[in-house]
Amino acid sequence: TAFLCKEIFQVQWDPDILDRLHDINEGWVAGMVLFHHAFHDLSTGDIRVCLDQPYPLPDPVADYLEEEVFSSLASEIQDFLLQTSILNRLRASFCDKWLGIDASQKILTNLAINHLFVKKEIVDGNKYAYHILFRIFLQKKLEARYPPEIIVDLHRKAAALYERLNQIEEALTHLLVAADFKDI
């Protein structure tokens, strides 16, 4: 990240900015280019303000993900991505039970094989994860496309299934997001 910024972009950003960019881009060089375009006219302070947000997603990154990735997918794949964006890790069997479908493994495998910001975890090959920027993008789209009560219901259903699977920490996380304090 430091080399790319200094030698290619010819900018001298502070180490804390470089560290945050490295973390959020997870090695995605095109993402670095998009961040550079978003930040090239900003002061160091303004860059820090942007990166200090819980979900930094500059317009060039969001536009790229919308135009080059998301919009070209079939609507059922888009719905799957949006709904599952609330999960930290994806396991096909969980997604099938939670969403009432039987195609999660096929969807996740195809997304990972085609390098569409989904990666299969090395340690547990049955789990997948979204690239952090793609997940942020999906969550913002989820909030724009679905009414809040539907999103809360997704969290409640995920919490109930995690509880049945004795994954209490995950269940509590979803109940907190759903503000379901009675069940907590």
Side-chain angles (χ1 to χ4, degrees), residues 21 24-25 28-39 50 56-70 117 131-137:
L21 285 171
I24 200 162
N25 278 288
W28 182 38
V29 176
M32 283 294 303
V33 172
L34 294 168
F35 269 91
H36 174 257
H37 286 295
F39 292 167
C50 179
L57 190 69
D59 288 343
V61 177
D63 293 345
Y64 174 86
L65 292 171
E66 176 68 40
E67 295 166 12
E68 301 298 327
V69 180
F70 190 78
F117 299 94
H131 184 285
I132 189 169
L133 288 171
F134 191 51
R135 186 170 180 223
I136 292 167
F137 166 80

Side-chain angles (χ1 to χ4, degrees), residues 3 6 10 31-33 43 47 60 65 69 73 75 84 91 104 118 124 128 137 140 143 153 169 176:
F3 176 83
K6 182 179 179 185
Q10 299 179 349
M32 283 294 303
V33 172
S43 69
I47 293 171
L65 292 171
V69 180
L73 299 171
S75 63
T84 58
R91 187 181 293 271
S104 297
V118 176
D124 184 348
Y128 296 80
F137 166 80
K140 288 180 185 263
E143 291 170 4
D153 189 52
E169 189 174 324
L176 282 169

Side-chain angles (χ1 to χ4, degrees), residues 88-91 112 118-130:
N88 290 324
R89 296 287 182 261
L90 302 127
R91 187 181 293 271
V118 176
K119 58 187 174 210
K120 193 173 196 177
E121 295 204 349
I122 296 169
V123 175
D124 184 348
N126 293 322
K127 288 184 182 176
Y128 296 80
Y130 293 128

Side-chain angles (χ1 to χ4, degrees), residues 11-119:
V11 295
Q12 293 281 11
W13 287 332
D14 293 341
D16 63 309
I17 291 173
L18 296 174
D19 288 344
R20 181 73 167 124
L21 285 171
H22 177 77
D23 290 345
I24 200 162
N25 278 288
E26 296 181 342
W28 182 38
V29 176
M32 283 294 303
V33 172
L34 294 168
F35 269 91
H36 174 257
H37 286 295
F39 292 167
H40 76 279
D41 286 336
L42 298 180
S43 69
T44 300
D46 289 340
I47 293 171
R48 278 195 179 92
V49 167
C50 179
L51 292 176
D52 286 344
Q53 295 175 35
Y55 306 107
L57 190 69
D59 288 343
V61 177
D63 293 345
Y64 174 86
L65 292 171
E66 176 68 40
E67 295 166 12
E68 301 298 327
V69 180
F70 190 78
S71 67
S72 66
L73 299 171
S75 63
E76 61 271 5
I77 304 298
Q78 289 180 359
D79 289 338
F80 177 87
L81 289 168
L82 294 175
Q83 292 171 20
T84 58
S85 71
I86 70 167
L87 304 174
N88 290 324
R89 296 287 182 261
L90 302 127
R91 187 181 293 271
S93 59
F94 181 91
C95 293
D96 280 347
K97 288 177 192 167
W98 176 54
L99 297 173
I101 62 174
D102 63 359
S104 297
Q105 186 64 56
K106 181 180 177 185
I107 293 169
L108 290 167
T109 300
N110 285 337
L111 291 168
I113 287 171
N114 291 303
H115 305 287
L116 292 177
F117 299 94
V118 176
K119 58 187 174 210

Side-chain angles (χ1 to χ4, degrees), residues 148-162:
E149 58 272 10
I150 299 291
I151 299 170
V152 166
D153 189 52
L154 285 171
H155 283 287
R156 284 188 181 131
K157 287 168 63 176
L161 183 52
Y162 278 126

